[in-house]
Amino acid sequence: LAKGNGGSGYKFFDESESHLFYSKLDLENELRKALSQGGLHLEFQPQNSLVSGDIVGTEALVRWYHPVKGRIPPVEFIPVAEESSLILDLDRYVLERGCRQLAQWHREGLDTRLAINISSAQLEKGDLLGLVRDCLGRHTIKAGRLELEITENSLIRNPAEAAATLQGLQELGVNIAIDDFGTGYSSFALLKDLPINKIKLDKTFIDAIETDAKDRKIINTIGELARSLQLQLIAEGVETETQVMRLLECGCYQGQGFLFSRPLAAADYRRLLMESQLII
Ligand code: C2E
Ligand code: MG
Ligand code: MG
Ligand code: MG
């Protein structure tokens, strides 16, 4: 009889916890299988100018359709992968597939910059610089067409080493973005000391922007900071026109979100890219 928070304080062994444990192991094994058998694929979401609506970039997001359980969201399987070395394989897979897709679009005359999420483990352990250099070389992609998204938290444990890796990537010409900015152990020192090109404002700020004056002030301040440090700024999770108006007032001129497009399968995204480049 496990009571929730504020219960009697007694908490007996809860059978559901052992289920959780086993299903986690199952999930890990099945994810490993999916990874090696082509069960994972990518979707793509545009990043848009809030001024013109033009597509200014693209983020690759991994997807897993389980043969029995159906669609399993990244928030469920990424943490499982992160608890084992599986996340290293997953990140490598996404980098490889993302670059392959980008090269194909380029061959078709479709130009975009592609952002890929990199886990903290990959930044710390893997030879990320070598990995990226090799991948760009094999697919003949200009480094400036690739962006890597890292979270603040992945910079905490070993800032000096992370900085060195990011420095190397930046020298190569790869763009570095801080994902989910404002939710982790953000520190202004990070922005000052680390080679970073772009800040992605976390969705929680955007959610509150219509109702909360404090959030608007925070975004305003981050906007000023980004400008003075010459960092690009983008808002994630933009869902309404009102949010766009507020963001523009706060000095944020780029956004990514369902208002513009949900993440799309490659074929659908190709169509979106074609349409947007025809308009220009
Ligand atoms: P993220 O990198 O911050 O990605 C943005 C998430 O917000 C995506 O969820 C996207 O589908 C969702 N999103 C975009 N616009 C909107 C919006 O307007 N409204 C709402 N409600 N959601 C929006 P997704 O694809 O479920 O991914 C969740 C997280 O999983 C990502 O957050 C990222 O941290 C991680 N992830 C996804 N793909 C990968 C990957 O290939 N590698 C790694 N290491 N992590 C990944
Ligand atoms: Mg991201
Ligand atoms: Mg994000
Ligand atoms: Mg996020």
Side-chain angles (χ1 to χ4, degrees):
L1 261 166
K3 280 199 170 182
N5 292 337
S8 65
Y10 286 97
K11 195 167 184 302
F12 302 119
F13 179 72
D14 183 350
E15 208 181 276
S16 69
E17 283 178 8
S18 71
H19 279 250
L20 241 177
F21 178 73
Y22 286 115
S23 79
K24 232 180 185 177
L25 252 181
D26 284 346
L27 208 62
E28 185 186 322
N29 287 328
E30 293 184 57
L31 182 59
R32 181 170 289 117
K33 207 161 61 178
L35 201 51
S36 65
Q37 296 176 354
L40 299 186
H41 68 279
L42 302 186
E43 284 188 350
F44 301 90
Q45 189 181 32
Q47 302 178 338
N48 297 73
S49 161
L50 298 180
V51 180
S52 64
D54 289 346
I55 295 177
V56 293
T58 303
E59 179 174 6
L61 295 156
V62 72
R63 295 292 178 255
W64 181 16
Y65 292 104
H66 189 280
V68 179
K69 294 180 187 130
R71 192 179 175 119
I72 302 177
V75 289
E76 277 180 37
F77 68 83
I78 294 287
V80 171
E82 278 174 337
E83 281 176 24
S84 71
S85 60
L86 210 51
I87 191 67
L88 298 174
D89 297 330
L90 188 143
D91 280 353
R92 272 197 295 272
Y93 178 83
V94 173
L95 181 68
E96 173 64 27
R97 286 307 166 112
C99 284
R100 189 188 293 185
Q101 185 60 74
L102 190 60
Q104 193 193 316
W105 283 332
H106 284 182
R107 279 194 299 275
E108 296 171 354
L110 297 169
D111 189 26
T112 186
R113 179 155 79 191
L114 188 68
I116 286 176
N117 294 285
I118 295 293
S119 68
S120 55
Q122 190 67 259
L123 185 61
E124 285 170 3
K125 290 197 208 95
D127 171 23
L128 186 59
L129 180 57
L131 202 67
V132 166
R133 193 190 280 126
D134 170 69
C135 197
L136 292 173
R138 273 186 296 105
H139 294 287
T140 44
I141 291 169
K142 285 195 196 109
R145 302 330 263 159
L146 183 68
E147 181 164 281
L148 299 181
E149 297 192 0
I150 55 172
T151 60
E152 298 153 289
N153 295 345
S154 63
L155 302 169
I156 297 304
R157 238 173 316 186
N158 204 337
E161 208 170 302
T165 304
L166 296 181
Q167 185 75 47
L169 287 162
Q170 213 178 41
E171 279 162 14
L172 199 63
V174 173
N175 217 54
I176 307 293
I178 301 279
D179 205 352
D180 305 332
F181 186 81
T183 58
Y185 296 95
S186 325
S187 122
F188 293 124
L190 275 184
L191 296 181
K192 184 171 73 73
D193 297 333
L194 286 171
I196 287 158
N197 305 96
K198 181 171 178 175
I199 292 174
K200 294 193 80 177
L201 262 178
D202 191 67
K203 182 179 188 305
T204 51
F205 292 107
I206 319 311
D207 287 340
I209 199 173
E210 289 178 43
T211 50
D212 194 333
K214 271 191 193 159
D215 275 272
R216 284 201 291 276
K217 283 181 185 154
I218 291 173
I219 295 178
N220 232 321
T221 305
I222 296 175
E224 275 170 31
L225 190 73
R227 264 189 304 285
S228 59
L229 294 176
Q230 291 178 303
L231 301 173
Q232 301 152 46
L233 180 66
I234 185 166
E236 62 177 27
V238 180
E239 294 179 348
T240 70
E241 293 286 357
T242 314
Q243 288 171 344
V244 171
M245 270 157 44
R246 295 288 166 271
L247 283 166
L248 289 172
E249 286 164 12
C250 292
C252 178
Y253 303 108
Q254 292 189 358
Q256 178 179 345
F258 295 171
L259 177 65
F260 301 102
S261 171
R262 289 185 176 259
L264 300 173
D268 296 322
Y269 195 74
R270 179 180 176 276
R271 222 166 294 135
L272 190 73
L273 269 183
M274 281 184 74
E275 283 164 15
S276 80
Q277 300 193 356
L278 280 176
I279 291 166
I280 302 166

